[in-house]
Amino acid sequence: MSSHKDCKPATRIVSGGRRKEWTWPVVNPPVWRGSTHLYENSQDLRGGHPNADGHFHYGRRGSPTQWALSEALTELEPGAYGTVLFPSGLGAISGALLSVLKAGDVLLMTDNVYEPSRDAARTLLADFGIETRFFDPLDLDGFPDQFCDRTKAVLLEAPGSLTLEVCDIPALAAIARDKGALSLIDNTWASPLGFNPLVHGCDITIMALTKHVGGHSDLMMGSVAAGEELYNRVRLKSQALGIVVSPDDAALALRGLRSMHVRLKQSTATALKLAEWLNTRPEVARVMCPMLPGAPGHDLWARDFTGGCGLFSFLLRDCDVQAQSRFIDALELFGIGYSWGGYESLATPFEPSRARSATAWPPEGISQSDRYGIRLAIGLEDADDLLADLAQAFEKMEPG
Ligand SMILES: *Cc1c(COP(=O)(O)O)cnc(C)c1O
């Protein structure tokens, strides 16, 4: 199968990475398990094989199964030269940050970042002498003042973890570039189907493949994509760290990827329907779903994004931690657990105060008693069944 780079995303997601020499005569690349790669003769071994996907060398540099996944992801990511795979989304974030920062550098990290990214900054990066400062992603006017001459990178995430704020990504990335800093973004929520960071001014885009790409709650993986120079830096750093993903996992990720477009469409439509309904409920103080017209962040989402997903949050009105628990525990169709992007719906309680340091929680306009949230990850179940489940859980939430 030849490349279809000029086709629409729905076509590229089906054709990407299926080079004839990696697949023929079956549809998917076989699982190439191998540590040793054999050479024809000693001249072939000495022959200098380029350090790039598509060239056999040794198991740590992958095989056609991993190369096909990298190439399929690169073809979905306008502006990317290549994609480096990591064994988890967090591994991809840490790997990308370590690739562009060194001792003495300062990193600016969005305050609504995925909490383990915050933890990695405070432990791993701090131990390497890299300082992290957190900033309010919605304070565009104050952003230039966050930089000093040691600031070398900015980590964005949009919508933000748990609270789903949408920042002005192109404006923040342009300011970072102007200040001589690289901008990286955790694009797990939107995936390249919903947002293309590299054409909106970001330098590096990161995704937890664990979520939408895997799609079936049975896989951990991450990816980092960038233009040629940064891609090579990340690639060399990951090789120095000895990072390689297993061919079995790469095959699972490829299987998930092929249907990601229709799964996201379906779960987005269901999420929007539920968000609209929640917005009318007296038990709900605020719905935080960028796809919902009138919700916080909707205007920027509509300007910059081409799609959404099933992950959104809402705040319970006049609630305490007991009522929040009663609501979650009454749900019958929603699993209780971390992660998201699977075919099954999940619900998690949150109150993000401890994961914020540069912004206040609750935010302006939200009272203390409305600060407890529920995050829903909508899967592929029937929307009316999920709605009925939420409705009965609201009834059981009432005390007594
Ligand atoms: C889950 C998640 C990650 C981490 O991915 P893992 O594969 O679980 O390590 C990173 N960023 C976001 C936004 C996530 O939701």
Side-chain angles (χ1 to χ4, degrees):
M1 173 145 301
S2 58
S3 166
H4 294 80
K5 283 195 176 71
D6 298 329
C7 291
K8 299 266 195 293
T11 305
R12 282 185 272 129
I13 210 168
V14 167
S15 61
R18 286 172 53 201
R19 286 196 211 181
K20 193 168 179 182
E21 69 264 31
W22 294 344
T23 56
W24 194 259
V26 291
V27 174
N28 298 298
V31 175
W32 286 66
R33 291 181 155 282
S35 51
T36 299
H37 292 164
L38 296 173
Y39 296 84
E40 289 289 347
N41 50 46
S42 53
Q43 194 192 347
D44 183 26
L45 181 142
R46 289 199 195 93
H49 295 259
N51 182 6
D53 289 352
H55 299 271
F56 282 108
H57 174 71
Y58 174 59
R60 221 166 38 224
R61 288 198 194 158
S63 69
T65 325
Q66 295 100 321
W67 302 336
L69 174 60
S70 287
E71 188 165 288
L73 292 168
T74 303
E75 288 196 17
L76 271 188
E77 195 72 68
Y81 175 84
T83 303
V84 183
L85 302 173
F86 285 83
S88 71
L90 185 61
I93 293 164
S94 295
L97 291 171
L98 286 175
S99 301
V100 300
L101 293 164
K102 59 180 186 336
D105 290 348
V106 172
L107 165 69
L108 295 179
M109 194 177 261
T110 183
D111 202 42
N112 53 4
V113 77
Y114 178 62
E115 199 177 357
S117 300
R118 175 183 291 269
D119 296 340
R122 290 198 164 142
T123 54
L124 177 77
L125 297 187
D127 287 348
F128 279 110
I130 299 158
E131 185 188 335
T132 303
R133 299 176 188 166
F134 295 89
F135 69 94
D136 178 352
L138 302 185
D139 182 12
L140 200 54
D141 292 341
F143 189 56
D145 300 333
Q146 303 286 328
F147 288 78
C148 68
D149 54 6
R150 292 189 293 126
T151 310
K152 294 293 153 55
V154 176
L155 179 66
L156 303 171
E157 181 178 330
S161 261
L162 300 175
T163 43
L164 284 290
E165 298 89 354
V166 183
C167 57
D168 191 336
I169 302 165
L172 294 169
I175 292 168
R177 181 155 301 187
D178 186 49
K179 297 280 185 182
L182 294 169
S183 52
L184 301 83
I185 185 166
D186 182 336
N187 193 38
T188 302
W189 186 89
S191 91
L193 295 177
F195 183 67
N196 295 141
L198 304 181
V199 300
H200 283 89
C202 298
D203 298 294
I204 293 182
T205 177
I206 305 166
M207 190 169 32
L209 307 181
T210 306
K211 311 291 168 53
H212 299 317
V213 172
H216 297 74
S217 307
D218 54 7
L219 174 74
M220 304 290 299
M221 204 181 288
S223 65
V224 178
E228 184 168 3
E229 193 260 332
L230 286 169
Y231 162 75
N232 282 319
R233 267 160 81 178
V234 176
R235 178 186 182 81
L236 291 177
K237 187 67 75 169
S238 86
Q239 288 176 351
L241 289 165
I243 284 168
V244 61
V245 305
S246 89
D248 303 76
D249 286 349
L252 265 185
L254 272 169
R255 172 185 282 224
L257 180 70
R258 304 304 182 190
S259 63
M260 180 168 78
H261 191 255
V262 282
R263 285 187 285 103
L264 280 186
K265 252 194 192 168
Q266 180 68 33
S267 56
T268 301
T270 306
L272 188 54
K273 181 170 179 176
L274 296 178
E276 278 165 357
W277 177 77
L278 286 164
N279 212 21
T280 67
R281 293 290 303 198
E283 300 90 345
V284 173
R286 178 176 284 185
V287 177
M288 296 171 302
C289 175
M291 298 99 74
L292 180 68
H298 176 75
D299 292 348
L300 284 174
W301 177 81
R303 187 190 73 183
D304 293 339
F305 287 60
T306 53
C309 74
L311 190 80
F312 72 99
S313 297
F314 60 95
L315 299 180
L316 292 163
R317 189 182 297 286
D318 266 332
C319 182
D320 55 20
V321 76
Q322 287 80 18
Q324 184 191 34
S325 302
R326 281 197 298 276
F327 177 81
I328 291 274
D329 293 342
L331 291 167
E332 288 170 7
L333 292 178
F334 290 79
I336 304 168
Y338 294 115
S339 201
W340 42 278
Y343 58 84
E344 82 298 1
S345 292
L346 297 171
T348 40
F350 72 88
E351 200 286 290
S353 306
R354 66 165 190 170
R356 300 286 183 267
S357 54
T359 55
W361 189 264
E364 228 179 289
I366 296 290
S367 73
Q368 280 295 330
S369 61
D370 295 347
R371 72 181 191 276
Y372 291 96
I374 306 287
R375 188 184 72 177
L376 298 180
I378 302 303
L380 301 177
E381 302 90 339
D382 183 86
D384 292 329
D385 287 339
L386 293 176
L387 196 148
D389 196 28
L390 294 170
Q392 64 84 24
F394 278 133
E395 294 194 359
K396 295 199 182 121
M397 184 174 78
E398 301 308 328

